[in-house]
Amino acid sequence: MDDPVLLTGAGGRVGEAILDGLAEEYEWRLLLHSPPDEEPDHEYMIGDVTDEALVRAAVEGVGAIIHLAGDPRPEASWDSVLENNIDGTQKIYEAAVDEGVEKFVYASSNHAVGAFETDQRTPEMYREDDEFLLDGTELPRPGNLYGVSKATGEVLGRYYHDTYGIDVCNIRIGNLTKGHPPIDYERGQAMWLSYPDCAHIHQRALEADYDFEIVYGISDNDRKYYSIKRAREALGYDPQDNSAHFDGEEKVVPDS
Amino acid sequence: MDDPVLLTGAGGRVGEAILDGLAEEYEWRLLLHSPPDEEPDHEYMIGDVTDEALVRAAVEGVGAIIHLAGDPRPEASWDSVLENNIDGTQKIYEAAVDEGVEKFVYASSNHAVGAFETDQRTPEMYREDDEFLLDGTELPRPGNLYGVSKATGEVLGRYYHDTYGIDVCNIRIGNLTKGHPPIDYERGQAMWLSYPDCAHIHQRALEADYDFEIVYGISDNDRKYYSIKRAREALGYDPQDNSAHFDGEEKVVPDS
């Protein structure tokens, strides 16, 4: 990717993980919702993804987009996700296809399929010996309106891919935490995504050759109810972390 | 269904087909976008589905909803479908679950899966001897932003069903025409839905026992790339019409 890469929502945690790992790999253009505490090391713009003029300026000249911006709260109101997540994502896609952007990486979420976690299946499905596994071919079952907005972002991507040919990779991001997996939280351990693996899967989504993909973005945890097979096959994702290798905050299994 | 049934978008063609066939079957409450030319035979309200107070009043006391309202144009703008179709549908669902409505029948559309009709597959897929068949378990592939809005309506239904238990039936309506199938239009003949079959499938969706369904609403056409198996099994849908039984406007094969 020689052209700049636009990273929207760059001020959030996923953006932090990506920039932690890939700061030197690309020429970044950051879109931030609000002024940063520290001056970024990269070109940046400040504003809202629902501001069409700003979006057009942000997308100008980039070769790829990682679109993270939106209201990230699982409990976000309908009005907020309708505007920030659904309408905002459509505006970015529209600008992207007008600009001839090649690749669009979309931060979808485990919340797009949260309602598969029924009372009947939990907590067993969070455990290593349970066989329940989602692979990205299932119809969404959002557990909240935030999840509805993320599933809608995936559908928007399908439309823009089919109609305009832009490559689209939807990454259903699990539970991203820095340094170590969540403690005393089986669900979070099952869908843990380490910072390095987060950066790596986004790099693969920028580099790999694909048309339209929906993949799960989690580390290679022993506990797992999201398959990472498609991410391995379509993107060449090769995660290095595993929540089972940690005892609390301590890594207890050395890298092989 | 002893309680009234709310029919939104009652002034459109689907609404006409439903009322043609089922006027006497239910106590209807109609929601119309604009004042009707003739005084309706049923209780009615006039206004917009994005008007929350009106929606609350329309839903009050009903036992079921058939939700047809929205911008019906395949070429509708994003702003229109975002407001009328996506936001409007969420507002109806929200009022429905607050009111304890039992059944929600949602007019989805063939446009939610229009992009399956690729240059490689057409026109062969419109013909009787072609085996391509969608069954409602596939992920949506909208061919336009209207189709995106319909796929989003289905996801909203999934969320409201999973979270609040309301029964939801999404009917992906084909090509509805009165009297006879479209002429010299293979695609339209393949997804033809006659007025009587349209009324019948909506009656079954009000009467049958189900949780969450996505079915195709077409007649039993010899040409077919949408399966009606699920509609038969889940709803007891038993269509009586078939576009192959017509020569132009004339019905040439008698009812068996």
Side-chain angles (χ1 to χ4, degrees), chain B residues 6 8 52 54-67 88-105 156-157 160-161 164-168:
Chain B
L6 172 64
T8 76
E52 215 167 311
L54 175 81
V55 164
R56 297 271 157 188
V59 168
E60 193 182 342
V62 305
I65 297 172
I66 297 178
H67 176 47
T89 297
Q90 192 272 344
K91 285 194 166 29
I92 299 265
Y93 264 115
E94 197 69 31
V97 298
D98 283 351
E99 184 69 18
V101 168
E102 290 168 38
K103 277 195 151 58
F104 196 109
V105 183
L156 279 164
Y160 281 99
H161 168 72
Y164 299 97
I166 187 171
D167 295 344
V168 173

Side-chain angles (χ1 to χ4, degrees), chain B:
Chain B
M1 191 58 60
D2 292 332
D3 290 323
V5 177
L6 172 64
L7 183 68
T8 76
R13 286 189 308 117
V14 180
E16 180 187 48
I18 291 171
L19 292 174
D20 270 10
L22 306 175
E24 309 302 320
E25 301 293 327
Y26 303 99
E27 184 186 338
W28 294 102
R29 181 181 298 162
L30 315 183
L31 183 58
L32 300 162
H33 185 257
S34 31
D37 296 334
E38 292 175 33
E39 186 68 13
D41 296 329
H42 310 277
E43 179 189 357
Y44 68 98
M45 305 171 82
I46 295 169
D48 210 290
V49 284
T50 57
D51 176 345
E52 215 167 311
L54 175 81
V55 164
R56 297 271 157 188
V59 168
E60 193 182 342
V62 305
I65 297 172
I66 297 178
H67 176 47
L68 312 174
D71 189 329
R73 298 169 301 142
E75 70 281 9
S77 72
W78 172 250
D79 286 350
S80 178
V81 298
L82 182 71
E83 179 178 342
N84 295 300
N85 302 15
I86 297 177
D87 192 24
T89 297
Q90 192 272 344
K91 285 194 166 29
I92 299 265
Y93 264 115
E94 197 69 31
V97 298
D98 283 351
E99 184 69 18
V101 168
E102 290 168 38
K103 277 195 151 58
F104 196 109
V105 183
Y106 175 67
S108 186
S109 166
N110 65 84
H111 290 281
V113 290
F116 281 100
E117 298 170 50
T118 59
D119 290 344
Q120 291 73 40
R121 292 196 182 109
T122 57
E124 288 74 17
M125 68 183 279
Y126 303 141
R127 294 175 183 165
E128 191 183 337
D129 51 1
D130 193 84
E131 291 184 0
F132 185 81
L133 202 60
L134 300 172
D135 66 8
T137 62
E138 58 280 338
L139 286 166
R141 290 186 63 172
N144 43 47
L145 291 166
Y146 167 77
V148 170
S149 76
K150 288 295 167 178
T152 300
E154 295 178 359
V155 173
L156 279 164
R158 183 80 242 190
Y159 164 71
Y160 281 99
H161 168 72
D162 282 336
T163 305
Y164 299 97
I166 187 171
D167 295 344
V168 173
C169 183
N170 303 281
I171 303 178
R172 291 183 178 164
I173 294 170
N175 193 325
L176 178 72
T177 60
K178 196 167 188 170
H180 62 82
I183 295 172
D184 292 335
Y185 180 39
E186 290 186 306
R187 179 176 181 274
Q189 291 162 5
M191 62 162 84
W192 185 46
L193 178 63
S194 73
Y195 266 47
D197 286 340
C198 180
H200 168 61
I201 198 170
H202 283 89
Q203 183 168 28
R204 293 311 312 150
L206 291 173
E207 302 291 338
D209 196 20
Y210 54 82
D211 292 315
F212 177 87
E213 296 292 337
I214 297 174
V215 300
Y216 285 99
I218 62 171
S219 289
D220 189 17
N221 310 311
D222 286 354
R223 299 168 181 275
K224 208 189 261 117
Y225 56 96
Y226 299 147
S227 171
I228 55 174
K229 187 157 174 275
R230 189 68 201 159
R232 286 187 188 277
E233 290 174 356
L235 307 183
Y237 176 51
D238 182 24
Q240 299 301 306
D241 285 309
N242 179 344
S243 58
H245 292 178
F246 288 77
D247 182 8
E249 300 185 12
E250 293 301 310
K251 190 165 186 185
V252 292
V253 177
D255 294 327
S256 56

Side-chain angles (χ1 to χ4, degrees), chain A residues 96-132:
Chain A
V97 298
D98 283 351
E99 184 68 19
V101 168
E102 290 167 37
K103 277 196 151 58
F104 197 109
V105 183
Y106 175 66
S108 186
S109 165
N110 65 83
H111 290 282
V113 290
F116 281 100
E117 299 170 49
T118 58
D119 290 344
Q120 291 74 41
R121 291 197 182 109
T122 57
E124 288 74 18
M125 67 183 279
Y126 304 141
R127 293 174 183 167
E128 191 184 338
D129 53 0
D130 192 83
E131 291 184 359
F132 184 80

Side-chain angles (χ1 to χ4, degrees), chain A residues 193-248:
Chain A
L193 178 63
S194 74
Y195 266 46
D197 285 341
C198 180
H200 168 62
I201 197 170
H202 284 88
Q203 183 169 27
R204 293 313 311 151
L206 290 174
E207 302 291 338
D209 197 21
Y210 54 82
D211 294 314
F212 176 86
E213 296 291 340
I214 297 174
V215 300
Y216 284 99
I218 63 170
S219 290
D220 189 15
N221 311 311
D222 286 353
R223 297 169 181 276
K224 211 190 258 112
Y225 55 96
Y226 299 147
S227 171
I228 55 174
K229 186 158 176 274
R230 189 68 202 159
R232 286 186 188 277
E233 289 174 356
L235 307 182
Y237 176 52
D238 183 23
Q240 300 300 307
D241 286 309
N242 178 345
S243 58
H245 292 178
F246 288 77
D247 182 6

